[in-house]
Structures are given as structure tokens and as C-alpha cells.
Amino acid sequence: MTLRVKLLLAQAPLAVALAVVGVLATATVSSLGHNSDAILKDNYRSVLAIQRMQEAIERMQDSAALLLLSGPTEGTARAAVQRQRFESELRVQEGNVTEPGELEATQRLRQLWTAYQAAFEHLQQLGEPAATRAFFFDNLDPAFGAVKQATESILALNQDAMVQKSERARREADRMNTVMLLGSVAALLIGGIASALLTSRFLQPLALLTRTVNRIGDGDFETRANITGSDELAQLAGNINAMAARLSQYRRSSLGELLLAQQASQSAIDSMPDPVVVFDVNGDVLNVNTAAETVLAVAVGSASGEAFAAVSPEVRAVLERVSAHVLSGKGPYVPRGFDEALRIASPDGERYLLPRATPVYAEQGGVTGATVLLQDVTRLRRVDELRNDLVATVAHEFRTPLTSLRMAIHLCIEQTAGPLTEKQSDLLYTAREDCERLQSMVDELLDLARIQGGRVELQQRPTAPSELIQAAVDAHRSAAEERRVTLETRVLPGLHDVSVDRERIQLVLSNLLSNALRHTPAGGRVEVRAHATAGCVRFEVADTGPGISADYQQSVFEKFFRVPGTASGGAGIGLSISKEIVEAHGGEIGLESAPGQGARFWFTVPAVAVGS
């Protein structure tokens, strides 16, 4: 039996229910039709016959009266026609006796009709007008009234029967309507329930197929759908079972294909010129490419110690740090700059390798490993060094002419070379301010070049955070008063000292405070705070300025970057210098801001451990 036939059988109860409803409806209509036919057949013919007989005898009576007025010729002719008509309708009535008492009434009518005919014939034979008139009123007219009364009784009998039968027909119609309604509801309920049960039974194999497919999708290739029969579902179950068997066989025999896939992936990473090292979730080396074996001397082993046996401690520390970052669930590792590049000696000279790492995810989404790529940035680093050297050289060469220019302007302002007009003095004062700003830019460029070149040695010593903040605030208090900006400090008590180069950290705080005062409108507020966090001290400089859009927050620490639309006031390297100084101390620097809500620059430096 095919699935189509089963589904048709499942709908068969509903079809039977509809057929039952149709039969009930047909029976109801037929019954109502029979009742109407019975009324027409039994009574309506009698009523019609009586009415016609009444009409005929009335005209005969009129013909009799005409005999009195016009003579026997015309009255007799008309009476003969009506007599024949009455006789015909009387025979119809005699043949359609259906009600109790109707037969006796009909027989009486026949007797009275016979008597009336005899009286009418006698009237026709009388020739004397006086005798004819006397006979008409004494005999014929009472006979006419008796016949008319007899027809009225038969008419009333049939009309009463028609009313009774109509009432019975109405009650029968109501009863049939009730029976039809109940029968229809019962048929539909029984048909619907039976159809639902049959459908559920026929579709049970489909639910079994669904469970089987789900288990196969979960990797259980040994499960089978045991469905008997010859319909389409049974055939589908056989195909699914065959597929599961082939998948199970494929799983057992796919070792060769896995080896081919491994060889393909190995060839892919071997073709990369940069070293690649793949770690598992425990930090052990799973795979390396040819470049890693050649440049780093990393070998695949059962443990990290064996893999890094011939690796330099510096390279090993970087690989373990970067892989630990990814395996701990922190996401991909992205270097912050060229200063993180490893310097590796090679036959072609020194090479600089910048570490990057990405996690390896399982199908369920968990981290199962980490892939570390050491990107060769030797040429890029050299270009960056050349750029920094060029900037440092240009800045250094600016110092001598800039010093002379400043001295000349100073002498002119002091009127050593002669008196000045008021307009000349204003121009020279403006020129001196621009020279001071240019001198500040040159100093910043030289500091940046020295820091990036590693030519600056930090003179670190324990210092109280409150001293650093107070010194920075005092240096900028007059500038805050000129701008009518409130300058506040908040240092939580009990903070540990920090080991910093005081001069360099003062430069960082000075850069942050200068930026905050520059971008805070009159009547605003700048607050410098410090509090402890995770073995460090966090310094914050918060202002009530316009804030910085999220689109630019990642770029503010880049060299020569300026947020579009901000007022000029520097070369855009102050924050870059601050970043280099903070990271040289082993700390971090960042920004929290939103447009219209001010900005909060922060940086951390390690705290001095108690007792050290």
C-alpha cells in the first residue's frame, strides 16, 4: 500500500461523514416533499372540486331563476351545462375520499344533488308562471340550500384536514432538522476523530525517520530506522539506513583521506614564508611549517619543552605569551606596534618578526588551539626607522635657526635695535608665541625619536602618586585660571608608591592636562584622580569638554593624528609620546569618552610591592 493510498484512507472517515450528512439531508427534503404531496393529493383536489361544484350549482340556481323571467329555452340550456359540470366534479370528490366522515358527507351530497336535479326537472315541466314561482321558492330553493350546505361541510372537513396536516408537516420538519443537525455533528466528530487517529498511525514512521536523521546528524551512524512495508516511507527508511551504513564505513575507512587532508594543510602552511606555530589547548606544539623549523628551530614534540629545546629563550617567551593570550579566551592577539617585533639573527642579516595569533575553534565554538604567525616586518621596520630618523634630523636641524630666531625676536621686543610702534610690538609678540610653540613641537619630536630609538634610559624610583599629581596640577593652575576652568584633584588614601621616572611621568600628566584644559570650555571642570587597581595605580584626567567620537578613539594615540574639527595647539604627538612612556614603564594607557559627555584619559603604572 502506497503512502498516497494510506493518506486517502485516512481521509475516508471524513468522506463517509459527509456522505451520511448528505443522506440525512436528502431524507429530510424527501420527507417534507411527501408531506406536501399528501396535502395536495388528499385534500386540495377535494377542496377544488367542492368549490367548482358550488359554482356550478349556483349557476344552475341562476338558470332556474332565469326560467321564471325569460322562458324555458335559455334557462334549460344553461342548466344542462352546469349540471354536467357539477356531476363531473362530484365524481372527482367521490373518488378522492381521504378523511374520516368524508364518505358519509359525500354520500349525503349525492342524495341531495339527486333531489335537487329532480326538483329542477319538475320546475322545467311547469308552464304556469304562478305555479313555477311557487315551486321555485317552496321546493327548489330549499334543495339548493341543502346541497350548498353539504358542499360547505365537505369543504370545511378538507380545510381542517389541510391545517392539521400542515401543522404535522411543520413538526415533522422541525424534528427532521434536529435529527439532521445532531446527525451531522455526530458524523463530523466521528469522522474527524477517526481520520486524525488514522493519520497519526500512518505518520508514526515519519516521526521515527525524524529521530533517526537527528541521531545520524549528531554523529550516531549506527542507528537505524526499522520501518516495515513497501510504501514511500519504508523506501526512504531503507535509503537512510544505507546512507548511515556508508557513513559508518566511511568513518572507519577515512584515515587515508585524513592523511591526505593533513598533507594538504601541511603543504599550505609550508608554502608561507613566515614562521607558523600551531598550539593545542594545553599549550603543546601541534604543528609547525618549514619556516618555523628553519628560522626559529621549533620542532613538533609531545610537549612544549621538547619542541622548544633549540629555541632561544626570547623567542620561546614570546611564543608562550602570545599563545597563552589566545588559549585563555581573550581572543586574537594583535601587536600594538613594531616595538613588539622579535629580532632574529639570520645569514642575510637581522630580521624582525612581529607576532600575531588567532584561536582555533571547535564545531561547538570552544577554543581548541592557537595559531601563531611571526610576520616578517624587517623592511617595514627599516622604513619606520628611516622616517623617525628623518623627523629627528629635521627637528634637530630646526633647533639652531629656531634659537637664533627666538633671540632676534626677543631683542626686537626689548627694543635693543630701536623703538617699535604698537603694531610692530603686537606682531613680534605673536611671532614669539609661534616660536615658543614651534620650539615645543621640536622638543616633542626629539623626545619621541629618542624614546622610539631606545636612547632614553628611565631613572625609576619610588614616588607617591599624590606628589606626581600635585606637581602636574600646580604647573597648570595658572593656565586653568586664565581659561576659567576649575582644576580639581582626588587621590584615594593608602595608595602604594609607584616606581617611575618622575620626569617622564610628569610629562605624561602634563600632556593629558594640557589637552583637557585646551578642550574644556570656560566654566568647565578638569579632575585628576588616582586609585589602585590589580597591582597598579591608575591615573585619570577627566574633563567636561565636547568628548571624542568612537570613530577616532583608536587613533588619538597615533603620531601626528588630530581629531577633525578640534582647535590647533600642537603637532599631534603628545599622546603618542605619552603612550611610549607609559608602555616603557610596563603600563597601559587608554581613553573613555562619548560625544557631549567629556573625555577621560587614563594610564596605569605598576605599584611598588609592600616590603620591597
Side-chain angles (χ1 to χ4, degrees), residues 581-612:
I581 293 174
V582 170
E583 291 179 352
H585 282 80
E588 296 179 348
I589 190 170
L591 164 65
E592 297 173 1
S593 179
Q597 300 181 10
R600 179 187 292 110
F601 285 88
W602 60 267
F603 68 91
T604 60
V605 289
V608 177
V610 178
S612 60

Side-chain angles (χ1 to χ4, degrees), residues 536-557:
C536 298
V537 174
R538 173 167 167 150
F539 295 85
E540 296 180 355
V541 178
D543 61 56
T544 57
I548 300 175
S549 172
D551 298 335
Y552 306 116
Q553 292 182 15
Q554 298 297 327
S555 304
V556 294
F557 295 101

Side-chain angles (χ1 to χ4, degrees), residues 563-574:
V563 176
T566 58
S568 61
I573 59 175

Side-chain angles (χ1 to χ4, degrees), residues 6-80:
K6 289 183 178 180
L7 293 177
L8 290 176
L9 288 178
Q11 305 304 317
L14 285 177
V16 173
L18 292 176
V20 170
V21 171
V23 171
L24 287 175
T26 302
T28 301
V29 173
S30 177
S31 176
L32 294 177
H34 287 316
N35 291 334
S36 300
D37 291 341
I39 294 174
L40 294 173
K41 178 180 179 181
D42 297 343
N43 303 107
Y44 182 74
R45 293 179 181 177
S46 296
V47 169
L48 188 61
I50 293 298
Q51 289 177 345
R52 290 174 178 174
M53 283 189 288
Q54 289 178 345
E55 182 181 0
I57 197 170
E58 286 174 355
R59 291 184 178 180
M60 284 184 67
Q61 188 70 4
D62 293 339
S63 299
L66 188 61
L67 289 173
L68 299 175
L69 300 175
S70 304
T73 303
E74 185 176 355
T76 300
R78 291 187 178 184

Side-chain angles (χ1 to χ4, degrees), residues 11-25 178-196:
Q11 305 304 317
L14 285 177
V16 173
L18 292 176
V20 170
V21 171
V23 171
L24 287 175
T178 302
V179 171
M180 181 178 176
L181 178 61
L182 295 177
S184 300
V185 172
L188 291 176
L189 285 176
I190 295 173
I193 294 173
S195 179

